[in-house]
Amino acid sequence: MAHKIGVIGGDGIGPEVITEGLRVLRAAGAEFETVDYDLGGQRYVRDGVILDDETIEEWRNLDALYLGAVGSPDVPPGVIERGLLLKMRFALDLYVNHRPFTAPDGSHEFIVVRENTEGTYAGEGGLLRAGTPHEIATQGSVNTRMGCERAIRYAFELAMKRRKHLTLVHKTNVLTFSGDLWNRTFEEVATEYPEVETAYNHVDAACIYFVEDAQRYDVIVTDNLFGDILTDLGGAVSGGVGLASSANLNPDGVSMFEPVHGSAPDIAGQGIANPLAAILSGAMMLEHLGEADLAARVSAAVESVAGGSGTTVELANKVIAAL
Ligand code: IPM
Ligand code: MN
């Protein structure tokens, strides 16, 4: 049966890479019934719509969402990020952001499990006495036992299916309140997975290891903001952000798949954007939809052409030829 997919091409290079992603997935044999959603910075500029509640309700009946990139230079920062991307993550409770990387030496793949609904992204805080010499800005980090526990559990389950090694990344030496909650939860859940070897790194040290010793990692679990920063670094050290894919998961609901890269307005419309991260995100979507064989074929095909050059369409053609 065809999978029912909501497609949000978005802004800039987003629609270009998503078109090629869908073409490759279909060439691999996947069957989709797609519903297009015109959302993003350009739509907002046109008629003020960011994301309404009816659309979110429609999404709950889909099998998955496939998103290119959103954001455009003529919209102030935060409007689309909070109003569309974060609203989607929160409303659909996409509590795990699953981001795989190839180690810099090419030796293995490791995965960052980023908590995706809490931390500094929750929106706690505000401005007081704005615009006066006494103005105050606070931006709290919201960490719930439930929120960190479900991300940590997902990471342990993932580790069990892999090399049985899991690293918690945080900053427990300074963020003593949230760090304590994360660390205690991690250690308690660990007792249920005695086969999984665990480790802990402060986030600053983890940045060094990402570059110099990624060999030590298999699965990493971390909070929302550390995960945001670390996964850009992960992309940069593992062949560039052009290959970085991600899954925003609600294991009990509808999940969303997107490349880590942004809308890249500087190269939009020229047909030169690298579609490989979008294609790999599509492969993760296939895996999530129960099409593990197709997913593996698409990933292997992307791997065989990675490092090559070409236009957006040429690269996708190369992947199709390698299927
Ligand atoms: C990402 C992006 C988003 C984030 C932005 C666009 C809100 O950087 O998916 O990593 O910070 O989560
Ligand atoms: Mn990011």
Side-chain angles (χ1 to χ4, degrees):
M1 244 200 28
H3 306 289
K4 202 169 173 201
I5 304 297
V7 177
I8 306 150
D11 299 308
I13 63 170
E16 303 171 32
V17 297
I18 285 300
T19 300
E20 295 312 304
L22 284 171
R23 193 163 68 84
V24 171
L25 300 182
R26 284 185 164 126
E31 288 179 34
F32 296 124
E33 188 189 308
T34 57
V35 188
D36 284 310
Y37 291 93
D38 175 17
L39 295 170
Q42 290 311 306
R43 168 78 192 273
Y44 172 67
V45 168
R46 214 178 326 119
D47 63 13
V49 171
I50 305 178
L51 172 59
D52 49 44
D53 295 342
E54 297 82 79
T55 304
I56 293 174
E57 289 314 309
E58 260 180 63
W59 286 348
R60 295 188 198 280
N61 302 313
L62 296 170
D63 295 322
L65 283 154
Y66 191 34
L67 184 144
V70 292
S72 69
D74 41 3
V75 179
V79 175
I80 299 301
E81 289 85 346
R82 282 218 158 265
L84 179 54
L85 215 49
L86 298 193
K87 185 170 175 181
M88 183 189 306
R89 287 177 184 168
F90 297 167
L92 298 177
D93 208 17
L94 307 176
Y95 64 81
V96 160
N97 199 323
H98 174 124
R99 295 183 161 176
F101 301 99
T102 306
D105 63 359
S107 61
H108 76 301
E109 180 205 62
F110 64 99
I111 296 176
V112 176
V113 173
R114 163 185 176 189
E115 196 292 319
N116 212 30
T117 58
E118 303 194 335
T120 45
Y121 279 65
E124 197 259 357
L127 282 170
L128 292 174
R129 306 178 189 144
T132 76
H134 297 276
E135 86 181 304
I136 303 165
T138 61
Q139 189 99 46
S141 175
V142 176
N143 299 263
T144 70
R145 167 75 195 212
M146 179 277 292
C148 64
E149 183 171 333
R150 62 187 183 173
I152 288 168
R153 274 187 191 283
Y154 175 88
F156 271 104
E157 288 292 331
L158 184 63
M160 282 300 286
K161 293 188 211 130
R162 296 170 51 90
R163 279 171 29 196
K164 299 192 170 63
H165 188 278
L166 176 63
T167 306
L168 171 66
V169 170
H170 207 281
K171 185 75 185 175
T172 56
N173 54 343
V174 174
L175 305 184
T176 48
F177 309 134
S178 59
D180 181 51
L181 179 63
W182 271 84
N183 186 51
R184 263 188 298 115
T185 305
F186 185 77
E187 290 190 343
E188 280 175 38
V189 176
T191 62
E192 296 171 38
Y193 297 89
E195 288 171 59
V196 177
E197 191 188 334
T198 58
Y200 170 79
N201 291 154
H202 293 318
V203 64
D204 47 354
C207 289
I208 296 174
Y209 299 140
F210 263 51
V211 177
E212 295 185 350
D213 185 23
Q215 196 53 44
R216 68 172 60 219
Y217 294 127
D218 191 58
V219 181
I220 291 169
V221 62
T222 191
D223 90 345
N224 207 340
L225 182 59
F226 295 145
D228 177 47
I229 298 165
L230 268 184
T231 55
D232 265 19
L233 181 58
V237 299
S238 69
V241 85
L243 274 176
S245 57
S246 83
N248 293 257
L249 300 172
N250 177 342
D252 308 310
V254 55
S255 296
M256 187 272 265
F257 300 81
E258 58 165 346
V260 174
H261 65 68
S263 56
D266 51 326
I267 59 160
Q270 299 174 42
I272 57 169
N274 181 346
L276 298 182
I279 297 170
L280 284 174
S281 304
M284 291 173 79
M285 177 168 74
L286 284 181
E287 174 149 18
H288 181 78
L289 294 170
E291 309 255 27
D293 291 350
L294 291 187
R297 274 179 58 207
V298 173
S299 305
V302 170
E303 226 161 89
S304 75
V305 311
S309 59
T311 66
T312 310
V313 171
E314 282 164 4
L315 275 172
N317 284 342
K318 283 187 189 176
V319 176
I320 290 172
L323 278 171

